[in-house]
Amino acid sequence: MTQPDITSIASCAMDLADTARRLARSHFRQVTAYDRKADDSPVTVADRAIEAALRDILRQRFPEHAILGEEEGLSGDSRNLWALDPIDGTKSFMTGFPLFGSLIAFTRDRLPTLGVIEIPATGERWSAYSGRTFFTQDGQEQQAAVSLCQTLETARVYTTSPDCFSAEDLTRYNTLSRKAAVRRYGGDCYIYGLLASGFCDLVVEASLQPYDYLALVPVIQNAGGIITDWQGQALGLHSTGKVVAAATPALHERALAILNA
């Protein structure tokens, strides 16, 4: 079977992101009710509606591809797999905080080859494929590039929430982040876009799922950064969910040394 080229994949990914933006905006600050999933995390009608719409598009465009989504799990078995997080940051979304996102990844033979971070409320988007990451807002597109930060002492460090760490891992994170110039909380996938555009230098997180991090890999790498697990291994479908993203190899190496001390 002929494999679709990256142009076709990218075109579909942009349509998926446009759909996620439209639906998320229609529900944002209109939806406050939520349910609890088996892992006690919240889910709203918007999460489910967006994923269902994205799956419909993919079934029409690429019916032979597999899909992994946060709300509906894995469907299909193919070397071509899409990973979808309809609302990355449901807690932000349901409390009216605008920095939630939608994540779209395409992987071939388990390797992330395309990633999109869509921020519906602000109209910002990072899209990565064919070796480059682009930032788009208000119809204006520019190539994204990470900072040149080499040292932890001058770094701006982000994580979404201390609640995402175990007690031991939070201690490790605090040891690292307290050495930095700036440390901030919040942002979900938005903070990886900030890293790709040079506005922060290091992101450290835990407890992520494949649909949370697969889209981030091309976005960070194509912008010149590094993203791995806490052991320095490449991220894949079966990674532990502990993520370190850094602007430079020196900063990444320092972060790993402290996290594994």
Side-chain angles (χ1 to χ4, degrees), residues 10 12 14 19 43 87-88 93 96 98 102 121 161 168-169 174 187 207 216 248 256 261:
C12 181
M14 295 309 108
T19 299
V43 59
I87 295 183
D88 182 72
F93 174 84
S102 297
S161 170
E168 180 181 354
D169 288 342
N174 283 333
S207 305
L216 309 176
T248 61
L256 291 183

Side-chain angles (χ1 to χ4, degrees), residues 86-109:
I87 295 183
D88 182 72
T90 297
K91 293 177 183 177
S92 294
F93 174 84
M94 66 190 228
T95 57
F97 189 69
L99 301 186
F100 64 91
S102 297
L103 292 172
I104 299 160
F106 174 76
T107 73
R108 180 169 286 162
D109 296 326

Side-chain angles (χ1 to χ4, degrees), residues 33-55:
Y34 63 94
D35 296 325
R36 290 284 184 183
K37 294 188 285 190
D39 63 359
D40 206 37
S41 63
V43 59
T44 71
V45 63
D47 296 82
R48 296 185 175 116
I50 293 170
E51 183 168 323
L54 302 191
R55 283 176 176 270

Side-chain angles (χ1 to χ4, degrees), residues 158-201:
Y158 259 105
T159 195
T160 294
S161 170
D163 295 340
C164 296
F165 296 104
S166 67
E168 180 181 354
D169 288 342
L170 181 59
T171 298
R172 294 175 186 274
Y173 174 75
N174 283 333
T175 299
L176 180 155
S177 62
R178 284 173 179 153
K179 298 179 185 295
V182 176
R183 71 171 189 164
R184 299 290 297 165
Y185 287 106
D188 301 292
C189 62
Y190 190 68
I191 57 183
Y192 294 88
L194 294 178
L195 195 155
S197 288
F199 293 109
C200 77
D201 310 300

